[in-house]
């Protein structure tokens, strides 16, 4: 089973639904160590993405086309750090998703490109209590699954589990990047909101892939 543009559209719609469902949770997580707008901004951004998808005359031809639409929409509608970070992630991923269908290696390449975009844009690395921690663990799990011959849906399921573990790993960390770093030692003991939203979005990707099987 390979993944195509229909999977990507389903991923986006599921992402919008889960972000809306967890909007208040993300707001609260961000309120604890940031400025409290992560859930609201991301919900507004994904609602705009879904509205653009609904308004298309013809469906997107490739995964890359879908992800490029997500990137440009999030960049123009999401404020704070989340818009540029997620926008760059989706834009980099779109450039690796130009094939009509993605196999396991294509999925890994897409996730690696997204992580590379976040790292480059945020100038952050693993262990700094950011969304990079979730994406780094997700990519490592995806690479391992693909190396063991897993199909795309299983690669994404592994990535989602990795993202969960990576997000949870941010709880004891002291932030050294972003607004949370202003709290110093007081940032420890809190789940990073960007890592949590990354976990939700990658779980949506895995669920869309499972539904496509």
């Amino acid at each position: 089973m390979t993944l195509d543009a229909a999977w990507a559209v389903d991923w986006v719609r599921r992402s919008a639904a889960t972000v809306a469902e967890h909007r208040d949770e993300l707001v609260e997580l961000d309120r604890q160590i940031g400025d409290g707008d992560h859930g609201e901004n991301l919900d507004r951004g994904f609602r705009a993405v879904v509205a653009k998808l609904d308004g298309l005359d013809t469906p997107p031809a490739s995964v890359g086309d879908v992800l490029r639409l997500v990137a440009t929409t999030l960049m123009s509608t999401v404020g704070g750090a989340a818009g540029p970070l997620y926008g760059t992630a989706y834009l980099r991923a779109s450039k690796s998703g130009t094939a009509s269908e993605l196999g396991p290696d294509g999925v890994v390449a897409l996730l690696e490109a997204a992580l590379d975009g976040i790292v480059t844009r945020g100038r952050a690395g693993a262990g700094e209590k950011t969304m990079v921690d979730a994406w780094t663990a997700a990519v490592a799990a995806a690479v391992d699954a693909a190396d063991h011959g897993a199909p795309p849906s299983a690669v994404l399921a592994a990535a989602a589990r990795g993202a969960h573990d990576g997000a949870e790993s941010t709880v004891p960390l002291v932030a050294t990047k972003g607004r949370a770093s202003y709290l110093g030692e007081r940032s420890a003991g809190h789940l990073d909101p960007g890592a949590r939203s990354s976990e939700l979005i990658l779980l949506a990707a895995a669920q869309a892939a499972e539904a496509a099987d």
Side-chain angles (χ1 to χ4, degrees):
M1 184 71 187
T2 55
L3 300 177
D4 56 14
W7 160 75
V9 169
D10 190 24
W11 175 18
V12 172
R13 294 189 184 280
R14 288 174 185 266
S15 295
T18 194
V19 166
E21 180 183 354
H22 293 272
R23 175 184 179 278
D24 291 345
E25 175 195 351
L26 295 172
V27 167
E28 175 58 22
L29 288 174
D30 197 28
R31 188 192 63 76
Q32 293 170 357
I33 59 173
D35 49 18
D37 62 359
H38 186 62
E40 181 179 345
N41 284 343
L42 211 54
D43 182 33
R44 181 174 63 252
F46 272 102
R47 287 179 188 274
V49 173
V50 170
K52 285 201 173 182
L53 281 174
D54 289 342
L56 294 175
D57 293 329
T58 57
S62 70
V63 172
D65 290 341
V66 177
L67 300 186
R68 192 174 304 106
L69 181 147
V70 177
T72 55
T73 306
L74 292 184
M75 284 179 173
S76 62
T77 58
V78 178
L85 288 171
Y86 271 121
T88 304
Y90 279 104
L91 188 60
R92 292 286 184 92
S94 75
K95 295 175 182 176
S96 71
T98 54
S100 58
E101 296 185 345
L102 300 180
D105 291 341
V107 171
V108 168
L110 184 153
L111 296 175
E112 288 178 330
L115 171 59
D116 183 61
I118 294 168
V119 168
T120 301
R121 186 76 183 194
R123 298 178 181 177
E128 294 186 295
K129 199 181 182 78
T130 71
M131 64 171 61
V132 172
D133 293 307
W135 282 90
T136 298
V139 168
V143 169
D144 183 66
D147 286 347
H148 284 81
S153 59
V155 170
L156 282 169
R161 291 192 295 272
H164 170 75
D165 293 342
E168 290 297 316
S169 77
T170 66
V171 173
L173 296 176
V174 174
T176 57
K177 285 288 182 181
R179 186 176 292 272
S181 66
Y182 300 162
L183 297 177
E185 296 289 337
R186 287 184 291 129
S187 65
H190 299 280
L191 178 63
D192 179 73
R196 174 60 174 152
S197 63
S198 296
E199 173 191 355
L200 294 171
I201 288 168
L202 287 170
L203 179 59
Q207 291 170 337
E210 183 180 7
D213 269 350

